[in-house]
Amino acid sequence: MTESAYKAGVSQVEVDVIVIGGGPAGLSAALNLGRSRASVVVVDAGRPRNAATLRSHGFLTRDGVPPLELRKLARTELAAYPSVSLLDRTVVTALLPTDSPNGMRFIAALKGPAGRTPPAVAARSVLIATGMRETLPEIPSLRAFYGMSLFSCAACDAWELQDRPLALIGETPDLAVRARLISRWTDRLTVFTNGADVVDTVEEAELAASGIIVERRGIDDLEGDRGAVSAVRLVDGSRVEVTGGFVRPQWQPALDFLSAFEADRDDDGALTVDRSGRTSVPGLYAAGDAASPGPQQLIVAAGQGARAAAVLVHDSVGVRTAH
């Protein structure tokens, strides 16, 4: 199967695997599936969660590369494998079960750019790597600093902010845990709950013992220039000076298309998988942020995609690997 099938008015194409999602997990899976001579369609909506990030870190041989450049490099490598096709700016509107005599178990309905409807894709297996959607705290200027001086991943970006006065902004119950982690890189950290009751008095005392300040007042806005945050302005007009920091978004898995399947999920809605990427639905695999436990570093997501691809190939020929 080649992309020419989509241009020839074919109503349905059939492949070994549909990979839903074109981030590190999905592209890594597609690369390894292509090398295993599987026919693959990668469906990429083109809306990566890290689009606002200028540099990605912790990816061996690519530390500091822009995320979009990393995707470009991966796509260039995929072009060497004729059995792999990539559909850009295309979303899966529904994934449905099908019972075909030739082994097709899934069929994906698609929506392309400008409302175009590409042919449906049927497959023996599906690998979900759609990542997660994130909702940031409602602070007017937050997006102006996000990805430049405010980040969501300490393991990814704290090195560049070490020893500075930092903010941690969030409204979720794990804020104290995240504060203890970030304190590894700085001893000048202020936790802003933005008025949410998410840090209890015991946690506040523990944080205070480590020199971490908890600020419970609501946030009016952020101050700064050209992506560099300089202060958090509170609702009473007072200011706390910072030169960077972290935000705790609320994450939701991007799995609206999966309603026809009762795949097991964790408490956050991510797909529950075994250590090899198998979901509770036969033939359905998941990797990266869409799989429990959720958001991962890019290199971890890529590794999960590679492992799930290898296990998928083993399963397809009846060579069962361990859970």
Side-chain angles (χ1 to χ4, degrees), residues 122-173:
R124 294 176 174 83
S125 301
V126 173
L127 196 154
I128 296 176
T130 46
M132 305 190 89
R133 293 186 292 262
E134 62 183 15
T135 303
L136 297 175
E138 293 186 6
I139 299 170
S141 299
L142 181 54
R143 286 284 180 186
F145 303 99
Y146 192 52
M148 289 172 280
S149 57
L150 294 176
F151 306 91
S152 61
C153 174
C156 306
D157 298 293
W159 172 265
E160 284 70 30
L161 301 178
Q162 60 184 303
D163 299 325
R164 299 185 190 180
L166 301 182
L168 170 60
I169 301 170
E171 302 166 4
T172 58

Side-chain angles (χ1 to χ4, degrees), residues 49 132-137 146 150-158 166-193 198-199 203-204 206-207 210 212-214 245-252 268 289 293-297:
R49 185 169 62 85
M132 305 190 89
R133 293 186 292 262
E134 62 183 15
T135 303
L136 297 175
Y146 192 52
L150 294 176
F151 306 91
S152 61
C153 174
C156 306
D157 298 293
L166 301 182
L168 170 60
I169 301 170
E171 302 166 4
T172 58
D174 61 351
L175 213 56
V177 173
R178 289 178 175 271
R180 287 195 289 271
L181 175 64
I182 294 168
S183 68
R184 182 177 183 88
W185 286 275
T186 184
D187 58 3
R188 293 180 288 171
L189 176 64
T190 302
V191 177
F192 297 88
T193 68
V198 292
V199 178
E203 290 174 323
E204 183 172 3
E206 292 173 346
L207 294 177
S210 300
I212 301 170
I213 299 169
V214 176
F246 295 90
V247 178
R248 172 39 164 116
Q250 295 190 42
W251 289 296
Q252 301 85 32
D268 296 317
D289 294 354
Q296 303 287 330
Q297 286 183 269

Side-chain angles (χ1 to χ4, degrees), residues 1-299:
M1 197 284 302
T2 66
E3 195 152 353
S4 61
Y6 293 95
K7 301 174 181 178
V10 178
S11 61
Q12 177 179 311
V13 294
E14 297 180 347
V15 294
D16 294 320
V17 186
I18 303 169
V19 174
I20 307 176
L27 295 176
S28 176
L31 174 65
N32 286 277
L33 289 167
R35 291 183 58 80
S36 297
R37 304 184 71 180
S39 56
V40 182
V41 166
V42 180
V43 183
D44 184 10
R47 296 189 292 268
R49 185 169 62 85
N50 61 359
T53 304
L54 298 180
R55 294 282 184 270
S56 58
H57 296 283
F59 204 113
L60 190 65
T61 77
R62 291 294 182 268
D63 190 38
V65 68
L68 293 180
E69 179 66 18
L70 189 64
R71 287 162 60 88
K72 181 180 178 181
L73 291 167
R75 285 162 169 253
T76 299
E77 292 176 353
L78 284 180
Y81 299 90
S83 68
V84 178
S85 296
L86 197 149
L87 298 181
D88 267 323
R89 294 183 297 152
T90 301
V91 298
V92 175
T93 57
L95 184 68
L96 303 170
T98 184
D99 187 13
S100 171
N102 60 356
M104 299 292 135
R105 291 186 285 183
F106 304 90
I107 187 164
L110 307 178
K111 182 178 180 181
R116 181 176 58 87
T117 303
V121 181
R124 294 176 174 83
S125 301
V126 173
L127 196 154
I128 296 176
T130 46
M132 305 190 89
R133 293 186 292 262
E134 62 183 15
T135 303
L136 297 175
E138 293 186 6
I139 299 170
S141 299
L142 181 54
R143 286 284 180 186
F145 303 99
Y146 192 52
M148 289 172 280
S149 57
L150 294 176
F151 306 91
S152 61
C153 174
C156 306
D157 298 293
W159 172 265
E160 284 70 30
L161 301 178
Q162 60 184 303
D163 299 325
R164 299 185 190 180
L166 301 182
L168 170 60
I169 301 170
E171 302 166 4
T172 58
D174 61 351
L175 213 56
V177 173
R178 289 178 175 271
R180 287 195 289 271
L181 175 64
I182 294 168
S183 68
R184 182 177 183 88
W185 286 275
T186 184
D187 58 3
R188 293 180 288 171
L189 176 64
T190 302
V191 177
F192 297 88
T193 68
N194 196 25
D197 186 18
V198 292
V199 178
D200 63 33
T201 54
V202 173
E203 290 174 323
E204 183 172 3
E206 292 173 346
L207 294 177
S210 300
I212 301 170
I213 299 169
V214 176
E215 176 53 72
R216 297 180 180 275
R217 287 173 288 181
I219 297 171
D220 178 53
D221 206 355
L222 305 176
E223 298 179 2
D225 185 49
R226 297 183 180 180
V229 65
S230 61
V232 178
R233 188 173 69 244
L234 303 174
V235 290
D236 63 2
S238 59
R239 301 169 66 257
V240 179
E241 293 186 357
V242 297
T243 59
F246 295 90
V247 178
R248 172 39 164 116
Q250 295 190 42
W251 289 296
Q252 301 85 32
L255 299 171
D256 298 342
F257 59 88
L258 201 55
S259 60
F261 296 92
E262 295 183 357
D264 292 345
R265 302 198 192 189
D266 66 15
D267 292 340
D268 296 317
L271 290 166
T272 302
V273 295
D274 66 16
R275 69 184 184 90
S276 299
R278 302 183 186 97
T279 73
S280 60
V281 176
L284 186 68
Y285 304 76
D289 294 354
S292 184
Q296 303 287 330
Q297 286 183 269
L298 298 184
I299 195 166

